[in-house]
Amino acid sequence: MQEVPDLIACEGCDALYERPRLRPREAAHCPRCGTLMERGWGRAHERMLPLTVACLILFAIANLFPIVEIQLQGLSSETTLVGAVVQLTHGGVSEVALLVLATTILFPLAQLCILFYLLVSITTRGVRPAGFNILVRAMQVLRPWGMIEVFLLGVLVAIVKLSGMARVIPGAALWAFMVLTVLLTAVLAFEPKAFWRIVFAREQAREDQTRP
Ligand SMILES: [Zn+2]
């Protein structure tokens, strides 16, 4: 079998280079245009699974416990972020409600679930799970929306919009959101394209083992 050279293309100017061997925390920039081409992750993906699980638990706490107390027509009720978003929709601010829903719940949850699924299959069985290609591409599409600034903006918009008629409860949900913000920064910094490299390295190692 002919050896395929391990090449990498610069996203900035399309120049091809041989893939550099990077140590953890090292980064390779294109010598021609300076675009960041690759980061050395080392074995970082092994830390990703526990972090992702922690994020999913915090996510559940943040969204299942009440975060605001809403006063409407003399009645006060405690509600979760989703509950608050639903109230916003009834109040006729549906664009804001949709934005908050997508940036604080849908996009991060979708990303965490995909990450969890991919990491579990790769770390436990060392194989490409079903739908690998589509899921890695989906993560790349979702990535700009999963940025922590967008997440924070969503939470802030919700709180500011609700502040007229609501009081933020300093309880479990609020603390979970705060810790989640920090953990999400670490988890979402992981580049989805690194999955290809992990899987490719494993498959090559297995091929080398079976070769006489
Ligand atoms: Zn370049």
Side-chain angles (χ1 to χ4, degrees):
M1 204 179 82
Q2 203 189 340
E3 283 287 319
V4 183
D6 193 9
L7 298 177
I8 180 170
C10 168
E11 282 172 25
C13 68
D14 272 349
L16 281 177
Y17 300 97
E18 203 160 306
R19 187 184 297 281
R21 289 198 172 273
L22 297 173
R23 278 192 293 255
R25 280 181 239 281
E26 271 184 345
H29 293 265
C30 172
R32 194 157 73 173
C33 71
T35 304
L36 173 70
M37 291 196 300
E38 188 154 83
R39 240 181 244 286
W41 285 98
R43 308 185 72 79
H45 67 278
E46 286 169 8
R47 282 198 304 273
M48 292 302 292
L49 187 56
L51 274 177
T52 307
V53 173
C55 276
L56 281 168
I57 294 169
L58 283 169
F59 197 88
I61 297 172
N63 285 294
L64 292 177
F65 284 87
I67 193 164
V68 284
E69 189 187 321
I70 295 182
Q71 261 128 21
L72 268 179
Q73 289 145 5
L75 291 168
S76 86
S77 61
E78 291 189 348
T79 181
T80 59
L81 193 67
V82 181
V85 169
V86 171
Q87 299 248 8
L88 274 180
T89 320
H90 288 310
V93 264
S94 54
E95 292 91 358
V96 176
L98 278 178
L99 179 83
V100 171
L101 200 67
T103 55
T104 59
I105 295 159
L106 295 184
F107 293 145
L109 185 62
Q111 274 182 303
L112 286 175
C113 288
I114 296 174
L115 251 181
F116 179 73
Y117 171 71
L118 292 177
L119 286 168
V120 164
S121 342
I122 291 171
T123 37
T124 56
R125 291 183 295 142
V127 291
R128 263 187 238 185
F132 178 84
N133 301 11
I134 294 171
L135 290 175
V136 173
R137 275 206 298 274
M139 277 209 70
Q140 237 136 9
V141 172
L142 283 174
R143 211 163 169 247
W145 290 99
M147 287 296 159
I148 207 65
E149 305 89 295
V150 184
F151 174 76
L152 268 180
L153 194 71
V155 177
L156 280 178
V157 166
I159 289 173
V160 168
K161 275 280 160 190
L162 285 165
S163 59
M165 51 172 179
R167 186 181 70 87
V168 177
I169 302 167
L174 191 66
W175 294 116
F177 262 115
M178 284 180 183
V179 182
L180 187 62
T181 307
V182 179
L183 281 193
L184 269 181
T185 318
V187 167
L188 299 180
F190 187 73
E191 286 172 38
K193 63 182 177 188
F195 276 119
W196 283 108
R197 215 152 50 242
I198 298 163
V199 166
F200 189 64
R202 294 246 175 145
E203 282 169 5
Q204 235 174 9
R206 209 169 306 144
E207 242 170 60
D208 289 345
Q209 269 178 359
T210 51
R211 207 175 289 163

